[in-house]
Each structure stands twice: as C-alpha cells, then as structure tokens.
Amino acid sequence: MNILRDFTEEMADQIRIYHYVEELVFSYRQFMTSHLKEEDIPLQECPLFIRLRFYDNKTQRELANEFHFTEGYTAKVLRNFEERNLISRVENPENRRQKIVSLTDDGKEYADYLISLMDMWEHEVVSSQSNVEIKNLKTSLYRMVMQAQK
C-alpha cells in the first residue's frame, strides 16, 4: 500500500493505524540505510545497541527478554559488538553465570551517532507539525504502545 497514492488527507481517519506504522517504518529504514556505512552494525541490531545507551549495565538475559530474542542470538549480537570494541561484558559478582553488558567509550560515541540519525529522521518526518501536534502525537503513541503491551 502506498498511502500517498491510495488516499487523501480527507480520508485520513479511514486508514488503519497499521498502515501508518508500516509507512513510517519503511521511511525510517530507507533513511537509516542510506546513512549507515557498510562497516556499521546492521540496522536490525541498532535497537538493541541503542537501548544500552539509555540502560547501561543490563544483563544478556535482560536484553534477550526485552527484545524477545533467544539468548543464543543475543550472545551472537553482543559478541559482534564486543569485537568492535563497542561494549564490554563482565561477570556479575552476585551471579557468576550472568554477564553485565556496558557500552565502552567508543560504544557511547557510536550510539550517540545513531541517535543523531534517528533525530534527523524524526525531524524530517514532523517538521511541518507544531510543537503541540508533536507532543499530542507522542502522547497518543505512548498510550497506544502501553495498551498494546497489556
């Protein structure tokens, strides 16, 4: 579906939320792909990496649970980050079977770069909206996500 081709603004209330989300995700992926370099981490791994910028010192298990990944896949992704010196994994002194994951200084710098790209995309998408409209949109999206989590 191409909303621009199939609908007009007067029909906005007839479009399913799913279709808006689909179009926004497509736009985001195109934007990020055009700005990421070949040596950057894969786009599908960016959300996990960026989460570490806001919630440092997570365990591998916590990350796997938050993203609904298997622990094996999470370990593989984290190993990739570690090989690039973006994270460190240390044994949890309270539970030696757990690894605590933290961003390195290089990792923090790279996460900030990815976040700046996200901000650039968001600015492009909402630049024609007023601050009040943006705040209302974000509030509505927050409520929708919280409802979807139930």
Side-chain angles (χ1 to χ4, degrees):
M1 168 182 276
N2 182 329
I3 290 179
L4 295 176
R5 184 189 68 222
D6 298 336
F7 293 94
T8 63
E9 189 171 345
E10 292 78 32
M11 303 167 72
D13 63 330
Q14 297 173 29
I15 302 171
R16 288 183 171 78
I17 293 169
Y18 167 83
H19 292 109
Y20 288 116
V21 172
E22 187 178 61
E23 294 289 331
L24 287 169
V25 168
F26 180 76
S27 167
Y28 173 78
R29 286 183 181 278
Q30 275 191 313
F31 179 89
M32 291 297 282
T33 301
S34 72
H35 285 80
L36 292 175
K37 300 174 215 66
E38 191 172 309
E39 66 272 7
D40 286 332
I41 62 174
L43 182 58
Q44 65 270 20
E45 295 174 5
C46 287
L48 188 148
F49 183 75
I50 290 168
R51 182 72 54 99
L52 289 169
R53 186 64 172 118
F54 298 105
Y55 303 105
D56 210 10
N57 297 319
K58 288 275 192 181
T59 66
Q60 282 184 210
R61 178 169 285 157
E62 288 171 329
L63 289 167
N65 290 338
E66 283 184 30
F67 286 92
H68 308 287
F69 292 158
T70 64
E71 289 190 45
Y73 177 74
T74 303
K76 178 184 165 212
V77 170
L78 293 176
R79 193 170 25 260
N80 179 30
F81 296 164
E82 195 170 38
E83 288 170 359
R84 295 170 180 236
N85 193 38
L86 299 173
I87 65 160
S88 64
R89 292 187 284 180
V90 295
E91 197 173 87
N92 183 348
E94 296 172 14
N95 182 346
R96 294 181 21 198
R97 292 181 296 164
Q98 290 182 336
K99 297 283 187 193
I100 296 175
V101 182
S102 300
L103 290 176
T104 62
D105 288 341
D106 287 347
K108 289 175 185 174
E109 185 178 316
Y110 184 64
D112 291 343
Y113 164 72
L114 292 175
I115 292 166
S116 73
L117 289 178
M118 293 168 62
D119 290 344
M120 284 172 49
W121 173 79
E122 185 175 309
H123 179 73
E124 278 186 20
V125 171
V126 300
S127 63
S128 65
Q129 308 300 307
S130 72
N131 288 341
V132 170
E133 288 172 316
I134 294 168
K135 183 179 187 311
N136 289 338
L137 173 63
K138 287 184 175 187
T139 299
S140 292
L141 290 170
Y142 173 83
R143 289 178 183 155
M144 290 171 61
V145 168
M146 295 309 290
Q147 182 65 32
Q149 298 293 316
K150 290 183 181 181

